[in-house]
């Protein structure tokens, strides 16, 4: 038996939606599976579905619908007329780097007198700070334009005024109750802002400012917008979908020298890049600059026109990313050791381990603790808070990640008397406090988790889009699923459920047989499945059995052949109850067949023997499992080998035999 690793949550599908899906099939010439997915994601009529599938730059919203845009453009143009020095003030993450880089390109094009500034993560922290404003004043800056930051900088904006510096704020984070009294504040999330799309990244807001300044959308810069939007986990709907799609097309066909150098350093094939290549290939290297060095290294890469300079910068970022990975691995190992010690201590005391994982280390780099928290959450599926502790002051900077159902921000609010600062949302948060308060924070957060979460909340959940059949897994349908791209937040790659499909073949593949290769179906209609890290499951499932699988469809190209493939996320196999339990004579008959064979490939053996003896594949597989347990046969390198002189043992001495017999007898008695 193979149990599900997660709770499978199949999205509700109403019979009333069949009509809408059928209409989309007919009017847009779509396969049924694609049409059903569109309806399920809210695109029920032809107009909304067509807009989702075909929207382009002409469908971008007017930038002047953003509150504050007119004032922002007026102040920047005024600075241009007066020859004032402007400073772009960004953030050190990939969105901030992208926002800064985009405005560098735009201000160059406009011929403005400007430079840029990004605070150092470890030395200055997030956002505008007075020391940076002092530096700007000393260097003759008269206007600061913030990107991806500034919405909470009320006091800093007031301080800048005393030094004669005006500030234009462009941001996308949640606004506080008291907004900065700046020359202009551009943020679609302001309550009074009627902009029709609230999900722009910081770089998206910067792009709207650029559009207004240039009086047309700078589509040649959408590769930068694509990077920041994907890296900042913004919803890939509405305008973001258009901008990311345009950006991916730019990367495939006409990438700038910075992106070409980054792709070469990262081993990314630009002509075929998709959103995951940006998310897992490019974004980590851009982020590595701000985590371990200074984010201006990444801005230099994205703004240079010299390929040699770009290549040097890309190699530097790649090296930083490798170092970041090494540091993360080290901290994860140390954190796991700490967590094991806590669990053992709780066990010795006869208590449950903490419901929230709270760990810290004096030499843990605060630039990567969020990644560490994510890795521990994935392994243990508990809310996690990881702290870097200052040895001298005892102050701790923490980064938290949560599971569904546990609101980190609400929990931290309940513990705010223990904290110096905190902020975030349901799934992720940051905080600072003194190390003396760590034990109490762990205790309070764990109590809240136990009170707020139900038993099922502690089991990870897999959201499944649709249950479908193998007949849906055609090359044509999979090709048309690409119409739903780019995939990402709010528009994930479809997860499909195939129920009770026949297992035609299975084997463990790869180094140390770590991965699982399946053939699903019967006859000539087979679907390949690949499960990374699932290799041990090959020995559990008999060929010919029925299984349930969840995965994503893709096209595998090999030796000029294209085949449908299902990348497995999870599977479930439970042996069917035996309607007729094998008799001792049948056990003996199969054993004699095995002795005559001497050795035989595991793959397909149960199915072949079942044809000879007239029992089901599951019944014959039970016999093989019992014989293996009793050491009548052995399994080595995919071959069953019959023992030359096995020790004589009763069938009933096999736990597998007894368990199956008891289950059969119990079901038979109930019938």
């Amino acid at each position: 038996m193979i149990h599900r690793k997660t709770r499978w949550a199949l999205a509700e599908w109403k019979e009333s939606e069949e009509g809408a899906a059928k209409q989309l099939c007919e009017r847009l010439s779509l396969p049924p599976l694609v049409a059903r997915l569109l309806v399920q994601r809210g695109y029920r009529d032809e107009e909304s579905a067509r807009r989702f599938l075909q929207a382009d730059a002409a469908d971008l919203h007017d930038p002047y619908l953003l509150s504050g845009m007119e004032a922002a453009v007026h102040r920047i143009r005024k600075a241009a007329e007066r020859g004032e020095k402007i400073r772009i003030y960004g953030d050190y993450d990939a969105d901030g780097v992208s926002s800064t880089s985009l405005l560098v390109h735009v201000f160059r094009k406009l011929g403005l007198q400007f430079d840029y500034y990004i605070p150092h993560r470890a030395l200055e922290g997030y956002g505008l700070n007075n020391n940076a404003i002092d530096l700007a004043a000393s260097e003759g800056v008269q206007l600061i334009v913030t990107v991806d930051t500034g919405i909470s900088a009320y006091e800093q904006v007031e301080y800048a005024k005393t030094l004669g510096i005006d500030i234009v704020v462009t941001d996308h984070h949640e606004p506080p109750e008291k907004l900065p009294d700046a020359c202009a504040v551009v943020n679609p999330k302001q309550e009074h802002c009627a902009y029709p799309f609230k999900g722009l990244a910081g770089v998206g807001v910067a792009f709207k400012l650029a559009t207004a300044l240039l009086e047309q959308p700078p589509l040649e810069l959408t590769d930068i917008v694509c990077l920041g939007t994907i890296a900042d986990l913004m919803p890939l709907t509405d305008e973001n979908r258009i901008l990311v799609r345009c950006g991916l097309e730019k990367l495939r066909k006409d990438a700038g020298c910075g992106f070409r150098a980054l792709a070469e350093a990262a081993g990314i094939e630009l002509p075929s890049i998709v959103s995951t290549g940006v998310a897992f290939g490019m974004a980590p290297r851009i982020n590595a600059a701000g985590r371990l060095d200074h984010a201006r290294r990444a801005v230099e890469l994205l703004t240079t026109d010299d390929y040699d300079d770009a290549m040097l910068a890309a190699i530097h970022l790649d090296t930083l990313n490798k170092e970041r990975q090494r540091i993360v691995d080290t901290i994860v190992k140390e954190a796991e050791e700490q967590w094991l010690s806590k669990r053992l201590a709780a066990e010795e005391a006869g208590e449950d381990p903490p419901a929230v994982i709270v760990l810290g280390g004096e030499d843990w780099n605060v630039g990567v603790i969020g990644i560490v928290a994510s890795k521990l959450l994935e392994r243990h599926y508990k809310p996690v808070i990881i702290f870097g502790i200052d040895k001298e002051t005892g102050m701790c900077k923490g980064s938290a990640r949560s599971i569904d159902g546990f609101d980190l921000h609400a929990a931290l609010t309940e513990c705010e008397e223990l904290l110096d600062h905190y902020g975030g949302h349901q799934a992720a948060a940051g905080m600072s406090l003194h190390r003396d308060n760590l034990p109490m924070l762990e205790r309070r957060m764990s109590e809240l988790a136990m009170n707020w979460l139900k038993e099922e909340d502690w089991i990870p959940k897999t959201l499944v889009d649709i249950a479908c059949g193998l007949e849906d897994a055609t090359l044509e349908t999979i090709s048309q699923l690409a119409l739903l791209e780019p995939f990402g937040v709010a528009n994930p790659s479809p997860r499909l459920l195939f129920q009770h499909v026949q297992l035609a073949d299975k084997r463990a593949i790869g180094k140390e047989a770590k991965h699982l290769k399946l053939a699903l179906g019967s006859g000539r209609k087979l679907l390949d499945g690949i499960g990374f890290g699932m290799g041990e499951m090959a020995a559990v499932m008999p060929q010919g059995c029925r299984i349930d699988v969840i995965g994503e469809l893709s096209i595998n190209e090999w030796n000029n052949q294209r085949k449908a493939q299902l990348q497995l996320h999870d599977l479930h196999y439970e042996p069917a109850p035996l309607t007729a339990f094998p008799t001792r004579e049948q056990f003996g008959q199969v054993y004699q067949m095995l002795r005559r064979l001497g050795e035989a490939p595991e793959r397909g053996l149960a199915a072949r023997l079942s044809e000879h003896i007239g029992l089901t594949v599951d019944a014959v597989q039970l016999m093989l499992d019992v014989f293996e347990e009793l050491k009548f046969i052995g399994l080595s390198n995919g071959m069953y080998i019959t023992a030359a002189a096995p020790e004589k043992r009763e069938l009933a001495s096999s736990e597998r035999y007894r368990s199956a017999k008891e289950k059969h007898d119990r079901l038979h008695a109930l019938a």
Side-chain angles (χ1 to χ4, degrees):
M1 179 181 295
I2 298 174
H3 292 287
R4 300 172 178 88
K5 293 184 296 184
T6 61
R7 288 181 290 141
W8 295 2
L10 181 62
E12 185 180 1
W13 179 256
K14 301 173 184 174
E15 287 187 17
S16 60
E17 295 175 324
E18 287 290 352
K22 187 176 180 182
Q23 275 195 337
L24 292 185
C25 283
E26 295 169 352
R27 295 179 180 179
L28 298 179
S29 301
L30 296 173
L33 179 59
V34 177
R36 290 176 68 197
L37 285 165
L38 282 168
V39 169
Q40 190 187 73
R41 295 185 180 191
Y43 307 100
R44 298 176 55 89
D45 59 88
E46 181 182 357
E47 182 184 351
S48 65
R50 193 183 297 278
R51 189 165 58 247
F52 178 80
L53 295 173
Q54 301 173 5
D56 57 22
D59 297 290
L60 292 171
H61 304 307
D62 181 349
Y64 285 101
L65 294 175
L66 279 161
S67 176
M69 183 60 78
E70 190 172 344
V73 171
H74 175 74
R75 182 62 187 89
I76 293 170
R77 285 179 174 163
K78 189 175 177 182
E81 292 167 5
R82 294 175 174 176
E84 294 176 341
K85 185 176 180 181
I86 306 172
R87 175 159 292 173
I88 303 165
Y89 193 106
D91 184 28
Y92 40 67
D93 70 359
D95 188 16
V97 164
S98 300
S99 307
T100 303
S101 301
L102 185 139
L103 280 198
V104 167
H105 284 287
V106 172
F107 284 8
R108 279 178 185 168
K109 190 169 186 177
L110 292 170
L112 304 183
Q113 183 185 352
F114 77 97
D115 61 13
Y116 66 87
Y117 184 92
I118 296 178
H120 191 284
R121 180 191 292 260
L123 301 179
E124 297 175 81
Y126 174 78
L128 274 171
N129 66 78
N130 287 353
N131 288 337
I133 294 171
D134 287 336
L135 179 64
S138 70
E139 295 178 349
V141 173
Q142 294 163 284
L143 173 64
I144 291 175
V145 179
T146 75
V147 285
D148 192 36
T149 190
I151 195 65
S152 300
Y154 180 88
E155 294 178 0
Q156 290 77 18
V157 169
E158 293 302 304
Y159 180 69
K161 288 179 185 177
T162 67
L163 301 179
I165 297 176
D166 286 341
I167 294 183
V168 167
V169 172
T170 77
D171 201 351
H172 75 123
H173 294 98
E174 292 293 336
E177 289 186 15
K178 192 173 185 180
L179 295 173
D181 185 22
C183 292
V185 177
V186 182
N187 184 333
K189 291 178 180 170
Q190 295 178 88
E191 278 190 19
H192 62 274
C193 181
Y195 197 70
F197 181 56
K198 304 296 186 182
L200 290 171
V203 70
V205 179
F207 181 85
K208 304 309 292 188
L209 174 61
T211 301
L213 288 169
L214 296 169
E215 300 181 350
Q216 62 180 357
L219 298 180
E220 69 278 7
L221 298 176
T222 51
D223 48 4
I224 296 176
V225 184
C226 169
L227 170 65
T229 301
I230 291 174
D232 217 43
L233 302 178
M234 291 296 101
L236 295 192
T237 58
D238 203 282
E239 275 193 308
N240 285 348
R241 178 174 171 77
I242 298 170
L243 293 170
V244 169
R245 182 190 278 166
C246 290
L248 288 170
E249 195 63 19
K250 175 83 164 51
L251 287 171
R252 292 177 193 129
K253 295 182 177 179
D254 185 30
C257 69
F259 281 107
R260 283 187 282 117
L262 185 61
E264 185 173 341
I268 296 170
E269 297 291 335
L270 281 177
S272 58
I273 193 169
V274 294
S275 55
T276 52
V278 175
F280 300 109
M282 292 183 168
R285 289 166 171 81
I286 296 296
N287 273 322
R291 294 185 190 281
L292 299 186
D293 187 3
H294 197 288
R296 66 172 173 269
R297 310 293 184 202
V299 176
E300 290 165 0
L301 169 73
L302 297 179
T303 56
T304 183
D305 293 323
D306 185 290
Y307 186 75
D308 290 338
D309 289 345
M311 201 65 236
L312 288 173
I315 291 170
H316 179 64
L317 294 185
D318 188 59
T319 302
L320 285 176
N321 191 53
K322 289 185 174 71
E323 176 65 7
R324 188 269 306 168
Q325 291 171 325
R326 187 195 64 77
I327 292 171
V328 167
D329 289 345
T330 299
I331 298 177
V332 166
K333 183 179 178 182
E334 293 175 2
E336 288 286 10
E337 290 170 354
Q338 277 194 29
W339 177 235
L340 177 61
S341 296
K342 287 194 176 190
R343 284 165 29 216
L344 291 175
E347 187 179 314
E348 289 175 4
E351 301 171 351
D352 292 327
V356 175
I357 299 174
V358 179
L359 307 169
E362 290 184 348
D363 56 349
W364 290 0
N365 188 312
V366 295
V368 302
I369 53 178
I371 302 173
V372 175
S374 295
K375 286 185 177 292
L376 265 70
L377 181 144
E378 185 179 337
R379 293 183 184 185
H380 303 287
Y381 205 69
K382 288 174 177 277
V384 181
I385 312 177
I386 301 296
F387 288 97
I389 304 171
D390 187 307
K391 184 165 52 176
E392 303 297 328
T393 65
M395 289 304 298
C396 309
K397 288 185 178 180
S399 188
R401 299 292 183 270
S402 192
I403 63 177
D404 286 346
F406 187 66
D407 188 327
L408 273 176
H409 190 269
L412 290 171
T413 301
E414 294 282 332
C415 306
E416 61 183 346
E417 76 278 6
L418 301 173
L419 307 170
D420 283 35
H421 302 284
Y422 72 97
H425 48 85
Q426 185 276 327
M431 73 228 65
S432 62
L433 75 166
H434 195 272
R435 70 188 309 163
D436 292 347
N437 289 334
L438 286 179
M440 181 58 73
L441 179 69
E442 178 185 71
R443 188 176 306 118
R444 293 275 298 281
M445 293 289 282
S446 293
E447 288 171 356
L448 291 169
M450 294 304 296
N451 289 334
W452 292 357
L453 293 172
K454 301 183 292 294
E455 187 176 347
E456 62 266 25
D457 292 330
W458 296 100
I459 304 170
K461 181 166 63 175
T462 297
L463 298 176
V464 183
D465 290 283
I466 279 178
C468 56
L470 293 179
E471 67 276 5
D472 293 310
T474 65
L475 288 174
E476 180 186 3
T477 298
I478 297 171
S479 296
Q480 297 227 344
L481 281 174
L483 293 172
L484 304 179
E485 293 180 353
F487 295 130
V489 175
N491 186 47
S493 178
R495 285 197 184 108
L496 309 176
L497 169 63
F498 296 85
Q499 293 175 296
H500 207 55
V501 292
Q502 187 171 349
L503 182 62
D505 194 12
K506 44 89 182 188
R507 57 196 167 102
I509 62 171
K511 187 178 181 182
E512 299 177 1
K514 285 186 177 179
H515 311 305
L516 178 66
K517 182 77 179 290
L518 303 180
L520 304 172
S522 59
R524 294 184 177 180
K525 293 184 178 180
L526 296 177
L527 173 63
D528 286 345
I530 183 73
F532 296 107
M534 298 182 178
E536 74 281 356
M537 296 180 182
V540 181
M541 301 177 292
Q543 186 172 318
C545 71
R546 298 278 176 172
I547 62 175
D548 299 332
V549 294
I550 289 176
E552 297 178 25
L553 285 173
S554 61
I555 295 176
N556 183 30
E557 299 192 28
W558 180 255
N559 286 340
N560 296 321
Q561 287 190 325
R562 303 173 81 243
K563 292 183 68 177
Q565 178 175 272
L566 184 70
Q567 183 172 332
L568 301 172
H569 288 216
D570 203 357
L571 62 83
H572 177 73
Y573 160 67
E574 185 170 358
L578 301 177
T579 54
F581 196 84
T583 65
R584 289 179 175 275
E585 290 74 18
Q586 288 168 327
F587 267 96
Q589 188 179 352
V590 169
Y591 181 62
Q592 290 306 318
M593 290 180 183
L594 293 172
R595 285 186 65 83
R596 286 197 297 271
L597 289 171
E599 62 179 57
E602 175 202 10
R603 192 190 318 168
L605 180 61
R608 293 200 303 276
L609 293 176
S610 71
E611 293 175 3
H612 288 284
I613 200 168
L615 286 174
T616 64
V617 172
D618 284 324
V620 176
Q621 186 62 50
L622 167 65
M623 293 177 175
L624 295 174
D625 292 344
V626 170
F627 291 150
E628 186 180 0
E629 182 184 347
L630 297 176
K631 301 192 184 312
F632 294 174
I633 61 174
L635 183 60
S636 176
N637 296 323
M639 298 289 290
Y640 279 118
I641 303 171
T642 306
E647 179 185 344
K648 189 173 182 180
R649 299 176 67 183
E650 287 293 324
L651 291 174
S653 66
S654 160
E655 185 177 339
R656 181 76 179 88
Y657 178 92
R658 292 196 307 274
S659 174
K661 187 73 166 65
E662 288 169 7
K663 182 176 181 181
H664 172 269
D665 292 347
R666 188 165 58 250
L667 291 171
H668 184 70
L670 291 173

